[in-house]
Amino acid sequence: MRDVRHDGARGAARLDGPALRLTVLVGERDVWHHRPLYVEIVHRARAAGLAGASVFRGIEGFGAASLIHTQRLLSLSEDLPVAVVIVDTEERVRAFLPQVDELLVTGGLVTLEACEVITYRGPAPAGGAHPDPGTDTGTDTGLDGMDRGAEKGGRG
């Protein structure tokens, strides 16, 4: 069995082999203590030391109430579906589930799917340690390893 290996507290991480994908589907307007719910999930996942999390905004969908939310109609575009996707080892993802359960007081959908990680490597920064988590380096690497620095307005 392969797993996550971290070099230092926030150093370069590697994840390969069997893993578990956690997907949390919520509404864009769902909040936790005046903060978007998807933001709270991502920050808690990071604090829990999970390998990574990405948020995807849907363009159309419906949930338990069967009300369709779509970006095509301005009046309904304020609460589009949002998916938070987290991939890590089964043990680490399952340990995180109680935090997700605590946050979903207004509803949502949580799925778990077995998956296999082929490649997951974060860039090794100069000096061997990650910068302060609060600083923006202009480089944003998602679960797929793609550099999104240029998308955020950076050069590269």
Side-chain angles (χ1 to χ4, degrees):
M1 180 177 148
R2 297 172 287 179
D3 60 356
V4 179
R5 291 178 300 283
H6 294 277
D7 300 328
R10 287 235 181 254
R14 289 181 55 103
L15 172 66
D16 57 6
L20 200 59
R21 179 175 49 234
L22 166 66
T23 303
V24 183
L25 298 166
V26 295
E28 187 175 37
R29 290 192 316 185
D30 292 344
V31 296
W32 175 261
H33 297 278
H34 308 289
R35 181 182 206 179
L37 181 57
Y38 62 89
V39 171
E40 184 67 21
I41 295 168
V42 168
H43 284 258
R44 285 191 182 202
R46 185 170 188 263
L50 293 172
S54 294
V55 177
F56 301 94
R57 184 177 189 226
I59 59 172
E60 189 166 18
F62 71 93
S66 294
L67 177 64
I68 292 181
H69 298 271
T70 178
Q71 69 177 14
R72 292 181 291 142
L73 303 172
L74 291 176
S75 63
L76 296 177
S77 66
E78 300 167 353
D79 194 23
L80 292 170
V82 174
V84 181
V85 179
I86 298 169
V87 177
D88 207 318
T89 63
E90 180 173 358
E91 179 181 335
R92 294 170 69 84
V93 169
R94 289 194 184 278
F96 184 65
L97 288 176
Q99 290 195 58
V100 173
D101 188 52
E102 174 190 347
L103 295 172
L104 295 183
V105 293
T106 60
L109 174 67
V110 178
T111 64
L112 291 173
E113 300 158 276
C115 62
E116 182 178 358
V117 174
I118 304 301
T119 303
Y120 171 71
R121 286 184 290 270
H130 276 269
D132 180 315
T135 61
D136 185 1
T137 62
T139 300
D140 185 8
T141 306
L143 283 176
D144 58 5
M146 298 299 294
D147 179 2
R148 290 185 178 66
E151 292 177 18
K152 291 172 50 179
R155 298 182 189 260

Short mmCIF file of all heavy atoms in Angstrom, two decimals, residues 65-98:
data_model
loop_
_atom_site.label_atom_id
_atom_site.label_comp_id
_atom_site.label_asym_id
_atom_site.label_seq_id
_atom_site.Cartn_x
_atom_site.Cartn_y
_atom_site.Cartn_z
N ALA A 65 -34.69 19.86 -2.84
CA ALA A 65 -35.92 20.64 -3.02
C ALA A 65 -36.39 20.65 -4.47
O ALA A 65 -37.46 21.18 -4.78
CB ALA A 65 -35.71 22.07 -2.53
N SER A 66 -35.60 20.07 -5.38
CA SER A 66 -35.91 20.00 -6.81
C SER A 66 -36.02 21.35 -7.49
O SER A 66 -36.58 21.46 -8.57
CB SER A 66 -37.19 19.19 -7.06
OG SER A 66 -36.98 17.85 -6.71
N LEU A 67 -35.51 22.40 -6.87
CA LEU A 67 -35.48 23.72 -7.49
C LEU A 67 -34.22 23.82 -8.35
O LEU A 67 -33.12 23.60 -7.86
CB LEU A 67 -35.46 24.82 -6.42
CG LEU A 67 -35.36 26.25 -6.90
CD1 LEU A 67 -36.61 26.62 -7.72
CD2 LEU A 67 -35.23 27.19 -5.71
N ILE A 68 -34.39 24.13 -9.62
CA ILE A 68 -33.24 24.21 -10.53
C ILE A 68 -32.57 25.57 -10.36
O ILE A 68 -33.21 26.62 -10.42
CB ILE A 68 -33.65 23.99 -11.99
CG1 ILE A 68 -34.10 22.54 -12.17
CG2 ILE A 68 -32.50 24.32 -12.93
CD1 ILE A 68 -34.50 22.17 -13.58
N HIS A 69 -31.27 25.53 -10.13
CA HIS A 69 -30.44 26.73 -10.06
C HIS A 69 -29.59 26.74 -11.31
O HIS A 69 -28.93 25.75 -11.62
CB HIS A 69 -29.55 26.71 -8.81
CG HIS A 69 -30.33 26.70 -7.54
ND1 HIS A 69 -30.73 27.84 -6.92
CD2 HIS A 69 -30.79 25.67 -6.79
CE1 HIS A 69 -31.41 27.53 -5.82
NE2 HIS A 69 -31.46 26.21 -5.73
N THR A 70 -29.59 27.86 -12.02
CA THR A 70 -28.86 27.93 -13.28
C THR A 70 -28.26 29.31 -13.47
O THR A 70 -28.81 30.29 -12.96
CB THR A 70 -29.77 27.58 -14.48
OG1 THR A 70 -29.04 27.70 -15.68
CG2 THR A 70 -31.00 28.46 -14.53
N GLN A 71 -27.16 29.36 -14.18
CA GLN A 71 -26.58 30.67 -14.47
C GLN A 71 -27.28 31.34 -15.64
O GLN A 71 -27.04 32.50 -15.93
CB GLN A 71 -25.08 30.55 -14.74
CG GLN A 71 -24.71 29.85 -16.01
CD GLN A 71 -23.20 29.86 -16.22
OE1 GLN A 71 -22.43 30.14 -15.33
NE2 GLN A 71 -22.79 29.53 -17.43
N ARG A 72 -28.18 30.62 -16.31
CA ARG A 72 -28.87 31.18 -17.47
C ARG A 72 -29.96 32.18 -17.08
O ARG A 72 -30.34 33.01 -17.87
CB ARG A 72 -29.49 30.05 -18.31
CG ARG A 72 -28.43 29.18 -18.97
CD ARG A 72 -29.03 28.10 -19.81
NE ARG A 72 -29.69 27.11 -18.95
CZ ARG A 72 -30.83 26.50 -19.24
NH1 ARG A 72 -31.44 26.74 -20.36
NH2 ARG A 72 -31.33 25.62 -18.41
N LEU A 73 -30.49 32.08 -15.87
CA LEU A 73 -31.53 32.99 -15.40
C LEU A 73 -30.97 33.80 -14.24
O LEU A 73 -30.58 33.25 -13.22
CB LEU A 73 -32.76 32.20 -14.93
CG LEU A 73 -33.40 31.28 -15.96
CD1 LEU A 73 -34.48 30.43 -15.32
CD2 LEU A 73 -33.99 32.11 -17.09
N LEU A 74 -30.94 35.10 -14.40
CA LEU A 74 -30.33 35.95 -13.38
C LEU A 74 -30.94 35.77 -12.00
O LEU A 74 -30.24 35.79 -11.00
CB LEU A 74 -30.40 37.42 -13.80
CG LEU A 74 -29.54 37.80 -15.00
CD1 LEU A 74 -29.77 39.25 -15.37
CD2 LEU A 74 -28.08 37.55 -14.69
N SER A 75 -32.23 35.56 -11.92
CA SER A 75 -32.89 35.47 -10.62
C SER A 75 -32.49 34.21 -9.84
O SER A 75 -32.60 34.18 -8.63
CB SER A 75 -34.40 35.52 -10.78
OG SER A 75 -34.84 34.40 -11.53
N LEU A 76 -32.04 33.17 -10.53
CA LEU A 76 -31.70 31.94 -9.84
C LEU A 76 -30.19 31.68 -9.82
O LEU A 76 -29.75 30.66 -9.33
CB LEU A 76 -32.40 30.75 -10.51
CG LEU A 76 -33.92 30.75 -10.44
CD1 LEU A 76 -34.49 29.57 -11.20
CD2 LEU A 76 -34.40 30.72 -9.00
N SER A 77 -29.40 32.62 -10.34
CA SER A 77 -27.97 32.38 -10.45
C SER A 77 -27.21 32.69 -9.18
O SER A 77 -26.00 32.56 -9.14
CB SER A 77 -27.39 33.21 -11.60
OG SER A 77 -27.48 34.59 -11.30
N GLU A 78 -27.91 33.09 -8.13
CA GLU A 78 -27.23 33.47 -6.90
C GLU A 78 -26.86 32.29 -6.01
O GLU A 78 -26.13 32.46 -5.05
CB GLU A 78 -28.12 34.43 -6.12
CG GLU A 78 -28.43 35.70 -6.89
CD GLU A 78 -29.55 36.50 -6.27
OE1 GLU A 78 -30.18 36.00 -5.31
OE2 GLU A 78 -29.80 37.60 -6.73
N ASP A 79 -27.36 31.11 -6.28
CA ASP A 79 -27.08 29.96 -5.42
C ASP A 79 -26.74 28.74 -6.27
O ASP A 79 -27.38 27.70 -6.18
CB ASP A 79 -28.27 29.66 -4.51
CG ASP A 79 -27.91 28.72 -3.37
OD1 ASP A 79 -26.72 28.65 -3.01
OD2 ASP A 79 -28.81 28.06 -2.84
N LEU A 80 -25.70 28.87 -7.07
CA LEU A 80 -25.29 27.78 -7.94
C LEU A 80 -24.66 26.64 -7.13
O LEU A 80 -24.17 26.87 -6.02
CB LEU A 80 -24.31 28.29 -8.99
CG LEU A 80 -24.92 29.24 -10.01
CD1 LEU A 80 -23.83 29.90 -10.85
CD2 LEU A 80 -25.91 28.52 -10.89
N PRO A 81 -24.68 25.43 -7.67
CA PRO A 81 -24.07 24.31 -6.94
C PRO A 81 -22.55 24.46 -6.89
O PRO A 81 -21.93 24.96 -7.82
CB PRO A 81 -24.47 23.08 -7.77
CG PRO A 81 -24.86 23.60 -9.10
CD PRO A 81 -25.30 25.02 -8.92
N VAL A 82 -21.97 24.03 -5.78
CA VAL A 82 -20.53 24.06 -5.57
C VAL A 82 -20.10 22.68 -5.09
O VAL A 82 -20.73 22.10 -4.21
CB VAL A 82 -20.14 25.13 -4.52
CG1 VAL A 82 -18.67 25.08 -4.20
CG2 VAL A 82 -20.52 26.52 -5.00
N ALA A 83 -19.03 22.16 -5.70
CA ALA A 83 -18.48 20.86 -5.29
C ALA A 83 -17.10 21.08 -4.70
O ALA A 83 -16.24 21.69 -5.33
CB ALA A 83 -18.40 19.91 -6.48
N VAL A 84 -16.89 20.60 -3.49
CA VAL A 84 -15.57 20.60 -2.86
C VAL A 84 -15.05 19.17 -2.98
O VAL A 84 -15.70 18.24 -2.51
CB VAL A 84 -15.63 21.02 -1.38
CG1 VAL A 84 -14.23 21.04 -0.77
CG2 VAL A 84 -16.31 22.38 -1.23
N VAL A 85 -13.91 19.00 -3.63
CA VAL A 85 -13.34 17.68 -3.85
C VAL A 85 -12.02 17.57 -3.09
O VAL A 85 -11.15 18.43 -3.23
CB VAL A 85 -13.11 17.41 -5.36
CG1 VAL A 85 -12.48 16.05 -5.58
CG2 VAL A 85 -14.42 17.54 -6.12
N ILE A 86 -11.91 16.52 -2.29
CA ILE A 86 -10.72 16.27 -1.48
C ILE A 86 -10.27 14.85 -1.76
O ILE A 86 -11.09 13.92 -1.76
CB ILE A 86 -11.04 16.44 0.02
CG1 ILE A 86 -11.49 17.87 0.30
CG2 ILE A 86 -9.84 16.05 0.88
CD1 ILE A 86 -12.08 18.08 1.69
N VAL A 87 -8.97 14.66 -1.99
CA VAL A 87 -8.43 13.32 -2.22
C VAL A 87 -7.27 13.10 -1.25
O VAL A 87 -6.39 13.94 -1.12
CB VAL A 87 -7.92 13.15 -3.67
CG1 VAL A 87 -7.28 11.79 -3.86
CG2 VAL A 87 -9.06 13.35 -4.66
N ASP A 88 -7.31 11.98 -0.55
CA ASP A 88 -6.22 11.60 0.36
C ASP A 88 -6.40 10.11 0.66
O ASP A 88 -7.25 9.46 0.05
CB ASP A 88 -6.27 12.43 1.64
CG ASP A 88 -4.89 12.58 2.28
OD1 ASP A 88 -4.14 11.58 2.33
OD2 ASP A 88 -4.56 13.69 2.75
N THR A 89 -5.63 9.61 1.58
CA THR A 89 -5.76 8.20 1.96
C THR A 89 -7.13 7.99 2.61
O THR A 89 -7.72 8.93 3.17
CB THR A 89 -4.66 7.78 2.94
OG1 THR A 89 -4.80 8.52 4.15
CG2 THR A 89 -3.28 7.96 2.34
N GLU A 90 -7.61 6.76 2.57
CA GLU A 90 -8.91 6.46 3.17
C GLU A 90 -8.94 6.83 4.65
O GLU A 90 -9.90 7.44 5.13
CB GLU A 90 -9.26 4.98 2.99
CG GLU A 90 -10.60 4.62 3.59
CD GLU A 90 -11.07 3.22 3.29
OE1 GLU A 90 -10.37 2.48 2.57
OE2 GLU A 90 -12.16 2.87 3.78
N GLU A 91 -7.91 6.49 5.36
CA GLU A 91 -7.85 6.77 6.80
C GLU A 91 -7.98 8.26 7.09
O GLU A 91 -8.74 8.68 7.96
CB GLU A 91 -6.53 6.24 7.37
CG GLU A 91 -6.34 6.50 8.84
CD GLU A 91 -5.00 5.98 9.34
OE1 GLU A 91 -4.43 5.06 8.74
OE2 GLU A 91 -4.53 6.54 10.35
N ARG A 92 -7.26 9.08 6.34
CA ARG A 92 -7.27 10.52 6.58
C ARG A 92 -8.60 11.15 6.18
O ARG A 92 -9.11 12.04 6.86
CB ARG A 92 -6.10 11.18 5.86
CG ARG A 92 -4.75 10.74 6.44
CD ARG A 92 -3.58 11.20 5.59
NE ARG A 92 -3.41 12.64 5.63
CZ ARG A 92 -2.74 13.30 6.58
NH1 ARG A 92 -2.19 12.63 7.57
NH2 ARG A 92 -2.62 14.60 6.54
N VAL A 93 -9.18 10.70 5.07
CA VAL A 93 -10.47 11.25 4.63
C VAL A 93 -11.56 10.88 5.62
O VAL A 93 -12.37 11.72 6.02
CB VAL A 93 -10.82 10.78 3.20
CG1 VAL A 93 -12.26 11.13 2.85
CG2 VAL A 93 -9.86 11.40 2.18
N ARG A 94 -11.59 9.62 6.03
CA ARG A 94 -12.63 9.18 6.98
C ARG A 94 -12.50 9.90 8.33
O ARG A 94 -13.49 10.20 8.98
CB ARG A 94 -12.60 7.67 7.15
CG ARG A 94 -13.13 6.95 5.91
CD ARG A 94 -13.43 5.49 6.15
NE ARG A 94 -13.84 4.84 4.94
CZ ARG A 94 -15.08 4.86 4.43
NH1 ARG A 94 -16.02 5.54 5.06
NH2 ARG A 94 -15.36 4.22 3.31
N ALA A 95 -11.28 10.21 8.74
CA ALA A 95 -11.07 10.95 9.98
C ALA A 95 -11.60 12.38 9.87
O ALA A 95 -11.94 13.00 10.88
CB ALA A 95 -9.58 10.96 10.34
N PHE A 96 -11.68 12.91 8.65
CA PHE A 96 -12.15 14.27 8.41
C PHE A 96 -13.69 14.35 8.34
O PHE A 96 -14.26 15.43 8.51
CB PHE A 96 -11.53 14.81 7.11
CG PHE A 96 -11.85 16.24 6.80
CD1 PHE A 96 -11.41 17.26 7.61
CD2 PHE A 96 -12.60 16.56 5.68
CE1 PHE A 96 -11.71 18.59 7.32
CE2 PHE A 96 -12.91 17.87 5.38
CZ PHE A 96 -12.46 18.90 6.20
N LEU A 97 -14.36 13.24 8.11
CA LEU A 97 -15.81 13.24 7.92
C LEU A 97 -16.61 13.87 9.06
O LEU A 97 -17.59 14.56 8.80
CB LEU A 97 -16.31 11.82 7.64
CG LEU A 97 -15.96 11.27 6.26
CD1 LEU A 97 -16.42 9.82 6.14
CD2 LEU A 97 -16.55 12.13 5.15
N PRO A 98 -16.24 13.67 10.34
CA PRO A 98 -17.01 14.33 11.40
C PRO A 98 -17.02 15.86 11.27
O PRO A 98 -18.02 16.51 11.59
CB PRO A 98 -16.30 13.89 12.69
CG PRO A 98 -15.69 12.57 12.33
CD PRO A 98 -15.26 12.72 10.89
#
